[in-house]
Amino acid sequence: MTELAASEYALLTDGTEVEVRALRRADLEAVRRMHQEMSQENFYLRFFGFSNRAAEQIADQLCREAGSGHAAVSAWLAGELVGVAGYEPDRGNKGTAEIALVVSDRMHHRGVGTLLLEHLGSLARAEGIRAFRADILAQNHPMLRVIADAGFEVRREMNAGVVELTLALGSDEKYLDAVAERERHADVASLTHLLRPSSIAVIGAGRRPGSVGHAILQSLRTSGFTGALYAVNPHAGGQLLKVPCAASVAELPEPPELAVVTVPASQVAGVARACGQRGTRALVVVTSGLDEEASRDLRESCHRYGMRLVGPNCLGIANTGELLNATFAPRHPTPGRAGVVVQSGGVGIALLERLSRLGIGISSFVSAGDKYDVSANDLLQWWESDDVTRLGLLHLESFGNPRKFARTASRVSRKMPLLTVVAGRSAAGRRAAASHTAAAATPTVTQEALFAQAGVIATHSLGELVKATALLGTQAVPAGPRVAIVSNAGGAGVLAADACQDAGLTVATLGKETQDELARVLPEAAACDGPVDTTAAIGSSRYRACLELVAADSGVDAVIAVICPTAVSDLSSALSEGDLAKPLAGVILDQPESVLVCDGGVPCYSGPEDAARALGHAWSYGRWLARPTGTLPAFDDLQREAAKDLITAFLRSSPEGGWVSPAEAMTLLGHYGLPMADWYWAESADAAVRACVRIGGPVAMKAHVPGVIHKSDAGAVRLGLMGHDEVRVAYLCFQSRFGTDLQGVIVQPMVPDGIEVLCGVVQEPVFGPLVVFGLGGTATDALADRTARLTPLTDTDAVDMVGSLRAASLFVGEHARAGTAAIEDILLRLGRLADDHPEIAELDLNPVIALPGAAVAVDARVRVIPRRSWDPYLRRMR
């Protein structure tokens, strides 16, 4: 029997939390009791009759011990069994299993059955089961609806009033979209208790000003929160800050829907338990410094009583639409359209302050702290649904489920801009690695791959984040990279042009008609082609007219207005007249603030570099929006089972894992259709000579010596060997150099000269498989021209990878020396291989020789380790 990884917790449709775990023999009585309590109608629909014996048999089958290939999962609400599901392998049809699913009568229509079906399907996929079968009475409409809504591809056949269903268990886009939509509805329902509570209690609210609890209670009181507000402090009497105060949670006049906990760390677990017993639905634990036992008890109480949890170790939360400010930030955030989620309280305070000053304001704010439960994934789904948030800001120091984050963020990014700061970019974050691919997979590379694929705008500092937000929060997304520059000082315009180039933008050359119109408006000494130099001799109205003319040019996608203040006129008023037909960024060179939003809603920067960089981020986002969403490739030539058998056999002989032999590596890659140069494995000089005879031309010989990574540097490669004598001598030289460490050689035909590239995969412990591509060969580390994407890899991702190298002109354009189709195919196959077999820890194809119409790998290294399969898209809480 497949084991469920301990207990999982997940949300039902209405946001109620349930425990999902494997059924045990000890659960037999609970399963029988649930069946006995079924109504006669439901009993008949499930068992096609009224025999209690059938229910007894099903219960006994579901709860039997492991060992027969079956699996069974169960859902528990507050300790009560509310649903079971199990499968039995079909012995006559390999890869297929019969399923049984029962939900307690009182829990119908709350999503229990669908949730159990998802978890059961995930277990089955991990065991190689490709399809479920079920026989359902035609009048059992609720169960047929559960199956239909699950998102699986379903084949139906009717036979004597029974619907015979076959459910394909592939995790295709349709299925994953259905799961994500269910998760969004459930998540938003559960977060309503946190962000739209009807009542709040601050537990540990201090009597003295300056304490965190006192500050949060004061913030809630003065923010105008209209629900019931309470304080809990055993020493404060009946009131605190004119708010009703109780000595304990139990003595509150009603269960608080949300509790904000600021008590000492040693008291947090007890307070959480008391809140759960009273009926609280959400906790914000501001307290830090919880030890392991307190942390465990806090989590257990939240799961047991179904409370959503923010923190611990956090600043608090805010929802300006609900007049809710449960933070100890120094000022109330300005209501607005930016959603913010941070881990660091200090970063949170800075963003609240700066976004408020800019006038963009805050819709909702969550300081997630140590992220025991509520995380960025939850807030993304809240913003997607709240009809208020128009852009989201994220500051993430860690990722719980990056692949689910990427999928959620990619969906939300199509509705609003999402911005973040790439954290952990220092050299100290780089881990030691034994392959070129793993060495390339630094924390920065991995995070940037995640954000690039999900359409998240990645900045490199808090200031850069705020400046990009100022533009995206006030202006439309540019349709292209062409920027018109209008300046009243020629030198400043040149600086702006340089900044645009550095930001990946192009300076627009204005059309003749626009230039003629500008010439009629501007002095004779003005430059009208672009950048436009108006000269200092014009006033605000003529400067505004210039901006409107260039914005109307069909060759312009955005405008940067650079103003150098003079005693002649104040041109900044031209920006206060509001937006143009195209996105507009202002630059006022004597402005003391690095960025502000003027009265007309135009972002104004103190230097052209910041304006250009903000526009560059906006264009990068616009380009992502415009690109095709991409499809996952459908390969029909993969030998998954053969690859699995090879990996399993290696791990059986090497339980701790390691580097597979060259022959095993070549064979494994061949199972996934990767284009490997013909190869022969030889463990003697005679065998090497025989391989040369079979090839019939000049050959390459590579020694396999454990621990040798850079074969050329170690003298482990001989190229262009002709005839028996040269091959024999080369083998004997290897023997002399490496002695008993030499395990054999790979003999291959020489491949025509081409562009040497690196293609590889590394399994990130948190992020999952990362596919790496770049210039390869012996100089791959020195060149460091690489790009990376996380799996699952789409055809669009593969195209982007090839096109994003600094040396992309080698593959794309009129001077290309190699085609892209074969390289893209290699990257897609590597991604699928890594997804299908998470035991692959590192894989290097270096070099791959890229040719005008083909690509062929001439060397490969693969390291595998024991690893349990883990479904990143399964609905579960942290």
Side-chain angles (χ1 to χ4, degrees):
M1 174 179 172
T2 305
E3 270 194 52
L4 198 62
S7 291
E8 304 277 11
Y9 294 88
L11 299 172
L12 300 181
T13 305
D14 59 2
T16 301
E17 183 176 336
V18 293
E19 178 187 7
V20 181
R21 64 166 174 82
L23 271 175
R24 306 163 187 152
R25 192 65 186 171
D27 299 323
L28 180 60
E29 185 54 41
V31 177
R32 286 174 175 167
R33 186 166 54 251
M34 187 183 73
H35 282 85
Q36 289 166 357
E37 293 172 355
M38 292 172 67
S39 69
Q40 283 197 338
E41 179 185 5
N42 286 332
F43 195 96
Y44 174 79
L45 290 175
R46 171 64 190 85
F47 297 107
F48 297 21
F50 299 102
S51 169
N52 287 328
R53 181 172 174 76
E56 289 277 341
Q57 289 174 339
I58 290 291
D60 195 58
Q61 280 185 334
L62 289 171
C63 296
R64 73 185 189 274
E65 298 295 335
S68 58
H70 81 291
V73 295
S74 55
W76 302 78
L77 176 59
E80 178 188 348
L81 181 66
V82 295
V84 295
Y87 71 72
E88 297 287 337
D90 186 342
R91 304 302 177 190
N93 189 358
K94 186 179 180 182
T96 301
E98 299 279 346
I99 59 169
L101 176 62
V102 179
V103 175
S104 168
D105 278 10
R106 73 178 187 86
M107 294 296 291
H108 286 193
H109 311 299
R110 294 180 66 181
V112 176
T114 310
L115 179 64
L116 287 173
L117 193 57
E118 288 175 26
H119 279 256
L120 194 68
S122 180
L123 287 171
R125 277 191 295 271
E127 291 299 305
I129 293 173
R130 299 185 298 276
F132 280 158
R133 285 198 70 260
D135 294 338
I136 302 174
L137 285 173
Q139 62 265 44
N140 192 348
H141 301 296
M143 186 56 65
L144 290 171
R145 191 174 305 114
V146 167
I147 301 294
D149 293 345
F152 296 115
E153 183 181 331
V154 180
R155 189 175 72 247
R156 297 166 176 258
E157 293 182 13
M158 181 70 76
N159 184 7
V162 175
V163 184
E164 298 174 349
L165 301 175
T166 302
L167 289 64
L169 294 184
S171 296
D172 59 11
E173 291 298 299
K174 177 188 173 186
Y175 173 74
L176 294 178
D177 285 346
V179 172
E181 185 62 14
R182 287 191 289 271
E183 185 166 49
R184 183 177 71 85
H185 279 291
D187 220 17
V188 169
S190 73
L191 291 177
T192 300
H193 304 298
L194 178 73
L195 292 167
R196 291 179 186 152
S198 59
S199 57
I200 303 175
V202 180
I203 303 172
R207 291 176 293 176
R208 61 178 179 83
S211 67
V212 169
H214 187 281
I216 291 176
L217 183 63
Q218 178 78 320
S219 292
L220 281 165
R221 191 178 72 82
T222 58
S223 65
F225 178 66
T226 58
L229 180 60
Y230 304 102
V232 175
N233 185 324
H235 311 295
Q239 275 200 340
L240 183 60
L241 291 175
K242 300 182 180 180
V243 172
C245 182
S248 67
V249 174
E251 296 176 52
L252 287 169
E254 63 175 312
E257 189 172 4
L258 168 66
V260 182
V261 180
T262 66
V263 300
S266 60
Q267 300 175 27
V268 167
V271 166
R273 191 179 311 111
C275 287
Q277 291 169 344
R278 192 70 205 279
T280 298
R281 301 302 305 274
L283 294 182
V284 175
V285 178
V286 177
T287 309
S288 61
L290 275 65
D291 61 23
E292 187 175 342
E293 181 180 1
S295 296
R296 183 178 62 250
D297 290 347
L298 172 60
R299 292 178 194 262
E300 287 179 353
S301 290
C302 288
H303 286 315
R304 180 178 181 183
Y305 298 107
M307 298 182 290
R308 296 308 305 263
L309 170 64
V310 171
N313 185 25
C314 71
L315 172 67
I317 66 168
N319 183 352
T320 58
E322 299 293 317
L323 303 179
L324 187 164
N325 178 18
T327 75
F328 55 95
R331 282 169 286 278
H332 293 303
T334 300
R337 52 193 178 274
V340 178
V341 59
V342 299
Q343 283 186 255
S344 163
V347 172
I349 290 174
L351 288 175
L352 290 174
E353 290 286 308
R354 298 182 74 172
L355 292 175
S356 294
R357 285 204 302 269
L358 284 172
I360 291 172
I362 305 296
S363 58
S364 55
F365 168 85
V366 170
S367 166
D370 292 339
K371 292 199 309 183
Y372 281 13
D373 173 21
V374 174
S375 68
N377 288 3
D378 300 287
L379 270 298
L380 288 173
Q381 296 181 104
W382 177 267
W383 299 337
E384 184 182 18
S385 307
D386 72 358
D387 294 326
V388 177
T389 304
R390 293 293 176 265
L391 71 164
L393 279 70
L394 310 98
H395 180 263
L396 308 174
E397 297 170 0
S398 63
F399 292 86
N401 187 343
R403 299 184 78 179
K404 184 177 284 188
F405 169 84
R407 188 173 182 85
T408 304
S410 182
R411 185 181 73 242
V412 178
S413 287
R414 298 207 168 269
K415 185 174 182 180
M416 67 183 74
L418 298 176
L419 302 96
T420 190
V421 176
V422 179
R425 293 181 290 114
S426 65
R430 187 172 179 137
R431 64 185 178 87
S435 72
H436 298 294
T437 300
T442 64
T444 302
V445 167
T446 307
Q447 288 187 56
E448 289 181 343
L450 172 70
F451 296 141
Q453 285 171 272
V456 177
I457 299 161
T459 65
H460 291 92
S461 69
L462 195 61
E464 187 181 343
L465 173 69
V466 171
K467 292 163 189 171
T469 301
L471 190 134
L472 284 157
T474 59
Q475 302 294 300
V477 177
R482 302 166 300 177
V483 178
I485 298 169
V486 179
S487 171
N488 68 333
V494 171
L495 291 175
D498 291 343
C500 284
Q501 180 175 314
D502 292 342
L505 304 167
T506 59
V507 177
T509 298
L510 301 175
K512 185 177 185 308
E513 184 176 339
T514 303
Q515 293 186 43
D516 291 345
E517 290 290 333
L518 287 170
R520 282 190 280 272
V521 172
L522 295 175
E524 186 175 348
C528 299
D529 54 350
V532 175
D533 178 4
T534 66
T535 77
I538 67 166
S540 177
S541 60
R542 281 205 286 173
Y543 191 82
R544 178 69 187 188
C546 289
L547 295 179
E548 293 175 353
L549 284 171
V550 298
D553 192 299
S554 61
V556 171
D557 299 307
V559 179
I560 293 179
V562 184
I563 296 173
C564 181
T566 68
V568 176
S569 61
D570 178 13
L571 302 185
S572 62
S573 60
L575 303 179
S576 299
E577 294 182 35
D579 294 337
L580 300 171
K582 305 281 173 62
L584 171 63
V587 176
I588 302 177
L589 293 178
D590 70 342
Q591 178 177 290
E593 299 90 349
S594 61
V595 61
L596 56 81
V597 177
C598 69
D599 292 340
V602 175
C604 295
Y605 301 87
S606 59
E609 297 80 11
D610 290 337
R613 196 175 296 117
L615 272 174
H617 285 306
W619 160 233
S620 176
Y621 173 60
R623 185 171 53 203
W624 181 86
L625 287 173
R627 77 170 194 161
T629 54
T631 58
L632 297 174
F635 297 114
D636 57 8
D637 60 345
L638 307 184
Q639 301 175 44
R640 293 183 179 86
E641 290 303 315
K644 181 179 178 181
D645 290 345
L646 188 154
I647 292 170
T648 301
F650 178 83
L651 290 174
R652 193 178 298 120
S653 62
S654 303
E656 295 183 2
W659 295 96
V660 305
S661 71
E664 289 170 318
M666 298 288 194
T667 303
L668 175 63
L669 296 166
H671 289 327
Y672 270 67
L674 287 152
M676 310 302 298
D678 291 341
W679 60 275
Y680 295 92
W681 174 250
E683 296 182 5
S684 68
D686 289 341
V689 169
R690 287 195 295 273
C692 177
V693 171
R694 292 192 191 98
I695 292 171
V699 300
M701 185 187 297
K702 301 167 188 176
H704 174 47
V705 181
V708 172
I709 300 171
H710 303 285
K711 289 188 175 74
S712 296
D713 293 345
V717 178
R718 295 286 190 275
L719 302 176
L721 301 176
M722 296 289 294
H724 300 188
D725 292 343
E726 290 189 11
V727 170
R728 187 177 299 278
V729 168
Y731 190 93
L732 294 175
C733 285
F734 286 158
Q735 278 189 323
S736 175
R737 177 182 290 269
F738 301 113
T740 57
D741 290 336
L742 178 67
Q743 295 189 351
V745 298
I746 286 283
V747 183
Q748 297 173 296
M750 293 295 294
V751 173
D753 289 341
I755 301 171
E756 294 188 353
V757 297
L758 161 73
C759 301
V761 172
V762 59
Q763 279 276 0
E764 279 291 315
V766 175
F767 288 80
L770 183 77
V771 180
V772 177
F773 170 68
L775 294 185
T778 57
T780 182
D781 294 327
L783 293 169
D785 188 6
R786 303 178 184 124
T787 186
R789 295 291 186 273
L790 291 161
T791 64
L793 211 63
T794 68
D795 52 358
T796 303
D797 291 327
V799 171
D800 286 349
M801 290 180 76
V802 177
S804 62
L805 292 186
R806 296 193 302 273
S809 60
L810 293 172
F811 309 99
V812 181
E814 58 179 320
H815 301 298
R817 292 166 45 197
T820 62
I823 297 172
E824 291 160 10
D825 185 70
I826 288 174
L827 296 174
L828 292 168
R829 289 176 183 272
L830 284 175
R832 180 62 61 82
L833 174 63
D835 264 342
D836 289 348
H837 305 284
E839 300 89 351
I840 297 174
E842 297 178 47
L843 188 158
D844 251 0
L845 298 182
N846 183 35
V848 174
I849 309 300
L851 303 165
V856 59
V858 299
D859 202 5
R861 303 180 76 242
V862 179
R863 184 170 68 89
V864 301
I865 59 174
R867 195 192 302 268
R868 287 188 61 177
S869 179
W870 188 76
D871 185 348
Y873 305 114
L874 186 64
R875 278 197 291 159
R876 58 185 147 206
M877 301 171 71
R878 291 172 62 87

